[in-house]
Amino acid sequence: MDDKNYVKELTKMDDNFADWYTDIILKAELVDYAPVKGFMVIRPYGYELWENIQKVLDSKFKETGHKNAYFPLLIPESLLNKEKEHIAGFAPEVAWVTHGGDNELTERLCIRPTSETMICTMYAKWIKSHRDLPLLINQWANVVRWEKTTRPFLRTAEFLWQEGHTLHSTAKEALEETLKMHKIYADFCEEYLAIPVIKGKKSEKEKFAGAEATYTIEALMHDGKALQSGTSHYFGNHFAKAFDIKFQNKEGKEEYAYQTSWGMSTRIIGGIIMTHGDDRGLKLPPNIAPIQVVIVPFAQHKDNVLNEVEKIKNLLSKKFRVEADVREEYSPGYKLNNWELKGVPVRIEIGPKDIENESCIVFRRDTFEKQTVKLEDLEEIISKLLIDIQSNMLQMAKDNTIKHTYTAKTLEEYTNIFKEKQGYVKIMWCGCTECEDKIKELTSSTIRCIPFEEEHISDVCAICGKPAKHMVYTARQY
RNA sequence: CGGGGUGUAGCGCAAUUGGUAGCGUACGUGGUUUGGGACCAUGGGGUUGCAGGUUCAAGUCCUGUCACUCCGACCA
């Protein structure tokens, strides 16, 4: 019995989290490795998840007045070089195109690691007057960053994302936009992905190359490591000056535009997996799950069973994303395990005995509870159940975050925490980069963000003892 | 780029002192099954990462090389 099943067994998530992670994303058929190292193939089930994320975010962007557009994949080297901090930040990890057919190009082209430079170049042509502002554009695209070590979703050489790029006539308005999008990301994570996040600002050391300020949402994974899940940058007129994006204001004077950019990537899928998954596999929040309800029939060869399955499917399909698993070549037991592995939030089991009683069994993935439900009540029960699962998953993730949040007042306390634990550690910080470098060297943890909501732990920096400026969240990170 | 590890069937592994490659699973076919990863029968699948060397004989020993992977540094 044991040796029959061992290939199917999942790695236990507590034993080795990294193995567990790669194990389930492959077995749940979200991704596969590509022939080119560092790249991943997103399989249909994984891509449906991404499509659902896209759908929700896209509608939120449109509600706030943004429009989608598309810009080229390749960026001439000269454009990339226009903003020096930006190029310094990205140069080590860009991929270059040097040939067109057999001919060597006179100027090599980089595959976009992000589109600021390309988009700024176009914006400079499009903006003449304050009447052209604000310009609110988003792009859904792929980008390439030649990373040394990769892991599917979390850090791949190519990833899918959206990048919003906006121009404004005042600094105030641009900053408001930056914070507005930051809030959209945070709300999206909590409401749809059931991932609680810490909202805050990045330190000078951690901010985006070329930005004046970077705002971030940080999520804590099941193993106590943090994941930067979405960023929103305020550029001031840094890029505008480098790319000559000017407009005439109401007084007729020429002025540089103020700019923002913000992005969320397929990395967030890694976040969903590592926030909610368990020893049985994925656990997807109902609001984003490709399949919300799966119907597994027992003894399906008996005629009336399949009829009943069909009826239930038709009924529920009006309101939910439903799939009926009527594959004959797999046993019911296999299907139960397989759909748990794939993280479907609700499962309906139905067989001859249930049909006789005009009922079925409803199973919830988050708590493993089973209940017998009369068929006439099914739609209503499922409706409530999905809402309940969604909020329960958020609550469980919040509890886990709280459980893994510590505070330290001294450097000794701080390093001791990281010797045996993983999680957020709240400390006071003087604001200098030397102290950031020091904790990274000692514990390989970094300042994740300066939260919007700071607490007062003490008056002095936990690292150097000088007067503290901020309370910060630190953690080891993905 | 530094330190460790591994390369044998799609995947996971085995092969004693050097003796000519096997097991599980997955896959094909036929049948029986179906309330928690079904069973029986049967079949296909391999230049043992690559190159060279020692030997009557190399998966096994030697030399070189390549690839992958884990831990560090760099990063959404």
Side-chain angles (χ1 to χ4, degrees), chain A residues 6-48:
Chain A
Y6 86 105
V7 165
K8 298 168 188 164
E9 286 295 339
L10 289 169
T11 306
K12 292 283 177 201
M13 72 182 296
D14 292 336
D15 293 352
N16 187 338
F17 195 71
D19 287 349
W20 167 84
Y21 175 80
T22 45
D23 201 22
I24 63 165
I25 56 176
L26 293 173
K27 286 187 174 150
E29 297 180 326
L30 291 177
V31 290
D32 202 352
Y33 295 108
V36 186
K37 197 194 159 195
F39 288 73
M40 68 169 167
V41 175
I42 304 178
R43 302 181 68 175
Y45 192 59
Y47 200 79
E48 277 177 59

Side-chain angles (χ1 to χ4, degrees), chain A residues 97-314:
Chain A
V97 174
T98 55
H99 286 74
D102 289 335
N103 301 323
E104 190 169 343
L105 303 174
T106 48
E107 180 182 5
R108 57 179 186 164
L109 305 168
C110 92
I111 303 176
R112 60 183 166 214
T114 178
S115 300
E116 269 76 11
T117 50
M118 175 58 71
I119 288 178
C120 285
T121 304
M122 299 315 296
Y123 281 4
K125 292 163 82 172
W126 294 347
I127 297 303
K128 298 282 178 243
S129 143
H130 68 272
R131 294 195 182 92
D132 299 325
L133 298 173
L135 183 61
L136 309 172
I137 288 180
N138 176 62
Q139 163 170 252
W140 290 95
N142 58 341
V143 290
V144 169
R145 297 180 189 178
W146 213 264
E147 302 286 352
K148 291 182 186 91
T149 52
T150 58
R151 182 173 298 179
F153 291 124
L154 299 178
R155 174 159 299 108
T156 45
E158 179 187 18
F159 57 92
L160 305 182
W161 75 346
Q162 57 70 216
E163 46 180 328
H165 296 268
T166 68
L167 285 180
H168 306 267
S169 49
T170 64
K172 180 170 174 282
E173 191 186 300
L175 193 56
E176 279 168 7
E177 165 81 5
T178 310
L179 293 170
K180 183 200 282 174
M181 301 324 285
H182 178 251
K183 186 171 187 307
I184 284 180
Y185 288 146
D187 292 347
F188 171 70
C189 281
E190 302 214 340
E191 287 166 26
Y192 286 85
L193 310 182
I195 298 175
V197 293
I198 307 283
K199 287 171 273 194
K201 192 177 171 182
K202 282 287 182 193
S203 68
E204 284 300 301
K205 182 177 154 71
E206 298 279 330
K207 75 179 187 186
F208 181 82
E212 205 155 289
T214 291
Y215 296 89
T216 178
I217 51 173
E218 298 286 326
L220 198 70
M221 303 296 102
H222 226 288
D223 65 340
K225 281 191 185 171
L227 185 75
Q228 180 173 312
S229 305
T231 47
S232 188
H233 314 290
Y234 170 65
F235 289 136
N237 46 29
H238 242 87
F239 278 88
K241 282 177 179 161
F243 287 84
D244 206 31
I245 306 172
K246 286 187 283 195
F247 67 97
Q248 272 191 305
N249 64 20
K250 283 176 188 165
E251 289 79 44
K253 269 178 69 183
E254 211 169 50
E255 228 186 303
Y256 287 111
Y258 294 86
Q259 196 169 2
T260 80
S261 89
W262 26 275
M264 182 174 269
S265 75
T266 39
R267 166 181 265 196
I268 197 69
I269 296 175
I272 297 169
I273 298 159
M274 294 198 298
T275 302
H276 301 301
D278 62 19
D279 279 339
R280 294 208 205 177
L282 295 181
K283 197 189 271 185
L284 298 177
N287 287 352
I288 213 78
I291 300 169
Q292 294 171 310
V293 181
V294 67
I295 308 166
V296 175
F298 284 87
Q300 67 181 43
H301 55 282
K302 294 181 180 163
D303 273 0
N304 57 338
V305 175
L306 282 181
N307 288 344
E308 204 58 43
V309 167
E310 190 64 20
K311 243 193 272 175
I312 294 173
K313 189 187 171 184
N314 288 339

